[in-house]
Amino acid sequence: MTALSSSTYARLVRECRTTLDSFDLVVLPRTPSTQDRVREAARAGAAPGYCVVAAEQTAGRGRQGRRWTAPPDTALLMSILVDAGDHVSGAPLAAGVAVCDAVRHLGATAALKWPNDVLVDGSKLAGILAEVEPGAAAGTVVVGIGVNLTNAALPHGVVATSLEACGVTATWDALLAILVPRLEATMTLLRRDGVAAIAAAWRERATGLGVPIRATTPTGDVTGVAAGIDDDGALLVDTDDGRIRLFAGDVHITR
């Protein structure tokens, strides 16, 4: 991870606090999991905006209990405590919109695949994990974000890409400065207008809708056509037996 001078660190925090005044940044060379560090801080009373970034994770995880692995200094690996208000279920979609917009700002032609993968031309650029910490304040969510900067080391079986492969050169701190204001903007929209507003923004950035898919869910596989997402964030799938709504699962485009 690019080492930050004290002045660069102070400027980064100051920039992020222009939209999120409680932003607090911890930078680590190595940690088992940024997600667990923020969950611990949340239990101890940390305010929304508490953020941990690491050059390397030794036990990072994604959705469905997968490991999120990346060689040192090749990805933005971060977790941040956000305030979702009364709409905690919309936090993953809100985070996805923010990450998508941040990398688009840098020049990557990103899109969102349900529930919260950020893709470029069908390859995974970034992943998001949102978790509620029972010991934290009501309405807060720990959001973990991994964005490949220069390396595409992702869980086995996932086709991945990086900003570098997209022709974009960005340091982790430059990306963070772009991402945090967008994340606070989407969370503000979520708190104010609810999940339906975020779902509308998500649809505008979506890929993989209107095409055949296979979804691996906690209760088994579902095949059909991804018809869209509902205003509560559920994936609508038209199957041979009719339309169903999915709230969790992994989606694979099969066209």
Side-chain angles (χ1 to χ4, degrees):
M1 174 176 287
T2 304
L4 299 184
S5 65
S6 58
S7 60
T8 301
Y9 173 87
R11 184 176 70 250
L12 175 59
V13 171
R14 187 168 59 249
E15 289 174 356
C16 292
R17 284 180 178 170
T18 59
T19 52
L20 182 55
D21 58 11
S22 58
F23 181 77
D24 185 13
L25 178 63
V26 177
V27 182
L28 303 172
R30 194 168 188 257
T31 189
S33 166
T34 60
Q35 195 78 350
D36 289 344
R37 290 291 294 260
V38 174
R39 291 186 69 162
E40 291 168 6
R43 288 196 297 271
Y50 184 85
C51 179
V52 174
V53 176
E56 182 184 9
Q57 292 185 123
T58 58
R61 65 183 183 278
R63 290 183 300 107
Q64 308 291 320
R66 293 190 183 91
R67 293 188 64 194
W68 181 284
T69 60
D73 302 320
T74 63
L76 170 63
L77 303 171
M78 63 171 285
S79 295
I80 185 169
L81 186 64
V82 301
D83 180 9
D86 296 328
H87 307 287
V88 167
S89 65
L93 296 181
V97 170
V99 175
C100 184
D101 286 357
V103 297
R104 281 183 175 185
H105 179 82
L106 289 170
T109 56
L112 294 170
K113 180 171 75 69
W114 191 90
N116 49 17
D117 286 342
V118 182
L119 307 183
V120 174
D121 294 330
S123 297
K124 186 168 179 175
L125 174 67
I128 296 158
L129 173 66
E131 296 179 308
V132 174
E133 171 49 53
T140 58
V141 181
V142 181
V143 175
I145 298 169
V147 183
N148 291 319
L149 300 176
T150 62
N151 187 281
L154 281 172
H156 178 71
V158 176
V159 179
T161 189
S162 67
L163 285 177
E164 184 178 56
C166 299
V168 175
T169 300
T171 60
W172 71 267
D173 52 302
L175 177 55
L176 187 69
I178 293 167
L179 173 57
V180 168
R182 285 164 174 77
L183 183 60
E184 177 57 15
T186 58
M187 290 300 166
T188 299
L189 178 64
L190 176 64
R191 292 192 299 268
R192 185 187 66 212
D193 297 335
V195 181
I198 289 297
W202 193 96
R203 289 186 199 101
E204 294 174 357
R205 298 156 176 81
T207 187
L209 299 182
V211 300
I213 60 100
R214 184 183 76 257
T216 302
T217 78
T219 57
D221 284 359
V222 173
T223 59
V225 173
I229 66 167
D230 215 339
D231 281 348
D232 59 3
L235 180 67
L236 304 175
V237 182
D238 290 334
T239 73
D240 291 341
D241 298 320
R243 176 167 291 185
I244 64 172
R245 302 167 77 244
L246 299 181
F247 289 95
D250 283 336
V251 171
H252 309 277
I253 298 172
T254 57
R255 62 183 176 187

